[in-house]
Amino acid sequence: MSPQLPPVAPAVTAELVAALSPRLRKRLDSGIAKLADRPMVRDGAVVRIAVDDETDLELHAPDGAVRGADAVRCGCLLAPDCLHRAAAASLAPVAEDTDSAAPQDHAAAEEDRAQAPETATPEQRAAVRTVQLATSAVLEAGTDGAGAVLQAELLRAAHTARLAGLHRAAATAVSVVTALRAARAADPAYHLTDLAAGLYDVLSVAHRLPSASGGELTALRGTARQPYRPDGSLRLYGLFSEPVLTASGYAGTVTWTADAEGRLYQVSDVAPGSAGRAVGAADRTVRIGDTALTHRELARAGLAVSGATVSPTGRLGAGAGVRAVRAPGVGWHEEPVARLWAEPVPDQIARALAGGRDLLFLDVTLTGTAAEAAGDCLLADCAGVPLRLTAAHDDPALPHRDNLRLLSAARGTRLRVVARLTPAPHPRAQLLAAEHPTRADTRLDIGLDRLQGADLPTTAAAPSGSVPVPVLVSASASASDEAPIHLLRRRVHQTVSGGRPVLALPGDTRADARHLRRSGLATAAELLTDLHSAAADRAHDVFGRLRPTDPDRFARAWLAAAHYTSELDRTLCLAAWTP
């Protein structure tokens, strides 16, 4: 297996692409495809690509990522102005901001916030406008047309935003580029909804920031660093571990723990890598104090921490002053962690939809499986609510799909589970951990532990050790009971995939608009009509030639439609989880 390319800083990719001549820019996407098929070898901190039999291209990443354009070196005759350097940077994962994970003194963080201006600065307004224009160009082109040049423009805008202190816009713009690359490479981990959500967040921030002030402006700016605060002594109880595998080339394991009050804390080990690292990190020693616990062990044991430091998201710091020793754990049905499952499910959903933690602690009864376009999902009853449990990752190296398939055969089994909410008009969540279907007091990390047929209840066992065929339910079984917001959401997603040209094609949208109005969704009907109108709006000059398109109007129309569907989905999601 060829080694993975090291992540490349956004500014480096933008600089190398910008240096290309117009002729070479047109060839960049084909150059990336050719380079992807060339053999690669790793030698320490250097990854070497054989451009041809006589020419090598090198990426130097002494700290794990390429931080400067001079760290991408090519031996061809046209270097340093060759296509190969830009192609390699565009092919590699996008490196994260080196400041994003650096611990920050809590007092310093408060001082930074106190000194921040109450309104956006002219530099920030200019930077966010650059991000807005680059994102609008990507939206207009769609994934099919958003090649390496448009991606580089968005990376350049992201770098400009970060320099201006707009860390949320910068980080989300980078995530959009990562999702675009995954889409164009037909990566199985790519999800259209994730790309749509990223585009929505970038455009929403760009739209709101110029007029924002106070707390809203602070939230729109975001922060570059995690301000770890002292938290004294903690007594933690392990809950579960989950693999982390990102499209940007990072992998590892996160172990979730809780204290006696039900507050959640995470211990993470995430670094550049692939699915193999995500699995292997589970057996590494946790990076807190002198404890010898691995992540797998901590998920079922406990931890006593002194001198703890904690980020706002609950991530435990591993500074020199932190001390930690192993302590006894408890079962999910024992206090104090049992209180996590005692909280009413609608309250958990409301908190998650309001921007709080998205982990759900549920008691479910397995009822079968449902066939969906993305793969089968596990059906369950949760306090009278029909729930769909899906795989958190589709990578075949991780056991999510296999475990869901086996669990679907254990119909009628009651389990206590941990899941991550997926906002949708019907109850839906990613299954992360569960009780073992036959072994009392045994937990399963769905992304790390592999179930076997022998683990199923005897009533679910099939002859010759095969897995029984579960009951199948059509994915559209309840479609008739849902509000027809999908008519607008489909156009929002079509725009992300095909860009403006798809919506500008001749067609009659009046039937969909009438259907929305009959269902009481008059605003959705108006937004649908306006989105198609903005896509088809191509004025002619006095000579009959088409004028350039107005990406601002089209982006605004798409943003309004995406915002409406997002807010309505939240409302429908909360209602769907209420018995």
Side-chain angles (χ1 to χ4, degrees):
M1 180 180 295
S2 297
Q4 186 180 36
L5 287 174
V8 176
V12 173
T13 303
E15 178 182 344
L16 292 176
V17 173
L20 295 177
S21 66
R23 179 180 64 85
L24 290 180
R25 286 192 184 191
K26 294 179 180 179
R27 296 171 48 193
L28 181 55
D29 288 317
S30 61
I32 294 171
K34 291 179 180 177
L35 202 63
D37 294 331
R38 300 302 302 167
M40 306 178 191
V41 295
R42 179 179 293 275
D43 182 11
V46 179
V47 173
R48 189 171 293 106
I49 307 173
V51 176
D52 53 40
D53 294 339
E54 299 178 354
T55 305
D56 286 340
L57 174 69
E58 295 181 348
L59 287 85
H60 294 251
D63 67 344
V66 176
R67 303 291 179 189
D70 58 350
V72 183
R73 307 166 188 172
C74 184
C76 75
L77 295 176
L78 297 179
D81 300 322
C82 61
L83 181 68
H84 305 130
R85 298 172 71 223
S90 301
L91 178 63
V94 183
E96 293 184 354
D97 179 8
T98 54
D99 294 333
S100 62
Q104 180 187 23
D105 178 78
H106 185 57
E110 293 294 340
E111 183 179 353
D112 286 349
R113 282 192 286 271
Q115 294 177 351
E118 292 302 310
T119 59
T121 65
E123 180 189 15
Q124 290 175 336
R125 290 191 178 94
V128 83
R129 177 59 176 164
T130 301
V131 172
Q132 186 178 38
L133 291 174
T135 308
S136 298
V138 167
L139 183 67
E140 180 151 336
T143 56
D144 294 338
V149 174
L150 284 182
Q151 293 170 25
E153 290 300 322
L154 187 51
L155 290 177
R156 178 181 294 278
H159 180 62
T160 302
R162 186 177 69 82
L163 294 179
L166 303 179
H167 303 289
R168 176 176 169 181
T172 312
V174 168
S175 72
V176 166
V177 172
T178 298
L180 281 172
R181 292 180 178 179
R184 292 173 61 84
D187 188 333
Y190 164 73
H191 295 287
L192 175 61
T193 53
D194 292 341
L195 176 55
L199 288 166
Y200 168 71
D201 192 59
V202 176
L203 290 174
S204 180
V205 169
H207 176 74
R208 294 160 54 198
L209 188 137
S211 59
S213 61
E216 181 188 16
L217 179 60
T218 300
L220 293 174
R221 285 194 188 107
T223 178
R225 297 170 289 181
Q226 289 279 9
Y228 284 75
R229 69 179 190 278
D231 208 10
S233 298
L234 296 173
R235 174 65 170 90
L236 303 177
Y237 303 87
L239 293 172
F240 71 98
S241 294
E242 64 170 320
V244 174
L245 186 61
T246 71
S248 58
Y250 287 80
T253 299
V254 171
T255 298
W256 291 82
T257 65
D259 67 6
E261 303 300 321
R263 292 185 295 263
L264 300 184
Y265 298 83
Q266 311 110 54
V267 181
S268 65
D269 181 356
V270 179
S274 57
R277 191 186 191 284
V279 175
D283 295 311
R284 293 173 182 264
T285 302
V286 296
R287 300 175 179 176
I288 295 184
D290 298 325
T291 177
L293 282 170
T294 67
H295 283 270
R296 288 184 191 272
E297 293 169 337
L298 175 58
R300 292 154 180 82
L303 204 63
V305 185
S306 62
T309 58
V310 185
S311 78
T313 60
R315 180 177 176 180
L316 289 171
V322 179
R323 298 289 182 267
V325 296
R326 181 173 186 153
V330 297
W332 283 357
H333 291 272
E334 302 175 61
E335 293 296 343
V337 302
R339 69 180 57 192
L340 295 169
W341 280 265
E343 183 181 9
V345 174
D347 292 351
Q348 297 188 49
I349 302 301
R351 181 185 57 250
L353 292 175
R357 72 181 188 216
D358 57 0
L359 291 185
L360 305 179
F361 299 87
L362 311 172
D363 288 301
V364 304
T365 301
L366 305 183
T367 58
T369 189
E372 296 184 334
D376 291 352
C377 66
L378 181 63
L379 295 179
D381 176 88
C382 178
V385 173
L387 169 63
R388 295 182 181 225
L389 294 168
T390 62
H393 292 285
D394 290 321
D395 194 293
L398 302 175
H400 292 90
R401 285 286 178 197
D402 292 339
N403 286 338
L404 260 65
R405 177 179 57 83
L406 283 166
L407 286 173
S408 68
R411 297 182 63 221
T413 302
R414 185 167 177 80
L415 297 175
R416 182 158 278 191
V417 305
V418 183
R420 177 169 287 115
L421 176 67
T422 302
H426 57 273
R428 189 179 188 87
Q430 296 174 345
L431 184 60
L432 303 177
E435 292 177 311
H436 195 284
T438 58
R439 300 175 194 167
D441 300 325
T442 299
R443 310 172 198 172
L444 292 171
D445 296 330
I446 298 299
L448 297 170
D449 303 321
R450 285 192 179 272
L451 273 171
Q452 304 296 327
D455 294 320
L456 300 178
T458 54
T459 55
S464 304
S466 61
V467 176
V469 178
V471 175
L472 291 175
V473 177
S474 170
S476 59
S478 61
S480 60
D481 298 328
E482 297 178 1
I485 189 61
H486 66 274
L487 297 175
L488 179 60
R489 187 189 303 107
R490 180 175 61 195
R491 301 305 183 190
V492 169
H493 288 169
Q494 281 181 338
T495 304
V496 175
S497 296
R500 176 202 287 263
V502 170
L503 269 68
L505 293 174
D508 188 358
T509 62
R510 288 176 293 184
D512 286 347
R514 285 194 299 267
H515 189 182
L516 289 167
R517 288 192 179 92
R518 284 197 302 268
S519 302
L521 300 175
T523 302
E526 293 298 326
L527 291 170
L528 177 64
T529 301
D530 187 57
L531 181 59
H532 278 275
S533 175
D537 184 14
R538 296 293 303 274
H540 293 76
D541 62 18
V542 294
F543 299 104
R545 296 172 299 191
L546 282 174
R547 295 185 183 274
T549 60
D550 182 359
D552 273 349
R553 184 196 168 191
F554 182 64
R556 286 195 303 270
W558 183 87
L559 178 61
H563 179 73
Y564 179 89
T565 57
S566 175
E567 292 302 310
L568 185 57
D569 279 348
R570 289 175 183 270
T571 302
L572 294 174
C573 178
L574 181 58
W577 279 88
T578 303

